[in-house]
Amino acid sequence: MIRKIGNYTLVLALLLLSFACKKTSDVEAFKEADYKLQSVDKVELNGVNLLKIKTAQDMSFSDVAKLFSAFSDNNLSAVSTIGLDVALGEGQEERTMTVSQLKWQLLVDDQQAVSGIVDEPVELKNGLNVITVRSPLKLTEVNGRPDMSTLLQLATLLNQDSASTKPDIKLQIKPTILTSVGPLEIPSFITVTDNK
């Protein structure tokens, strides 16, 4: 009887180990994947749709008041819908990954301008993933206050047509992935390239 229990325990341990190895392999596949930003279809900052603003005249007084108040407190929040293309290595196309938390940062000319954390779970797969994310934003601070030039620079970037005048912009992500043994944070930021 003890031998049977030992055999069942061994089989169960082998099954758990093979499942854990598959999850580890999934994590490695997504860690090594190429991430490309295909589209940005919505960017709302504290309820103001930034994609519809081309000039200062496109903003109402209440929009300006809302944004100024949130900016003064460095208490901005964004809702965005993005198209993120994930290209896994050959032979790994069927894998999926659940991201339980996503740290992100936007670099302008290699200087951090904005950062945030997405706390809503997101399921990623090989190919195009259309994701709506909600995240509080933290602007870079200068002398303990949010940097107004960073906010103006970001607003200008969203509506700029000429690629020659754009500064170098990088979006970096650092996902925490759900695994069979608990959440696992990727150790370093992954750069998302712009597909345009």
Side-chain angles (χ1 to χ4, degrees), residues 27-28 30-31 97-104 116-119 173-179 181-190:
V27 170
E28 285 301 314
F30 279 93
K31 186 175 158 188
M97 175 178 70
T98 301
V99 176
S100 61
Q101 184 184 71
L102 183 72
K103 293 179 182 174
W104 63 272
I117 297 177
V118 177
D119 280 324
I173 58 174
K174 190 177 192 186
T176 298
I177 303 163
L178 286 183
T179 70
V181 293
L184 173 69
E185 184 179 57
I186 299 292
S188 58
F189 279 94
I190 299 167

Side-chain angles (χ1 to χ4, degrees), residues 84-103:
L84 180 65
D85 185 57
V86 179
L88 298 175
E90 203 170 307
Q92 302 187 36
E93 294 86 1
E94 299 302 316
R95 297 182 187 274
T96 61
M97 175 178 70
T98 301
V99 176
S100 61
Q101 184 184 71
L102 183 72
K103 293 179 182 174

Side-chain angles (χ1 to χ4, degrees), residues 100-175:
S100 61
Q101 184 184 71
L102 183 72
K103 293 179 182 174
W104 63 272
Q105 60 184 11
L106 188 69
L107 306 179
V108 178
D109 291 331
D110 290 323
Q111 299 293 316
Q112 185 186 51
V114 184
S115 62
I117 297 177
V118 177
D119 280 324
E120 298 171 6
V122 174
E123 186 84 16
L124 291 182
K125 62 179 176 41
N126 188 58
L128 183 62
N129 297 266
V130 177
I131 306 165
T132 297
V133 293
R134 289 166 182 72
S135 174
L137 301 181
K138 179 90 171 138
L139 291 169
T140 302
E141 294 187 355
V142 176
N143 298 325
R145 301 191 56 97
D147 185 10
M148 178 62 100
S149 64
T150 300
L151 183 62
L152 294 173
Q153 199 174 31
L154 291 173
T156 305
L157 288 174
L158 286 171
N159 294 301
Q160 221 172 42
D161 294 327
S162 172
S164 64
T165 58
K166 282 188 179 182
D168 181 37
I169 305 164
K170 288 182 191 156
L171 174 63
Q172 295 183 326
I173 58 174
K174 190 177 192 186

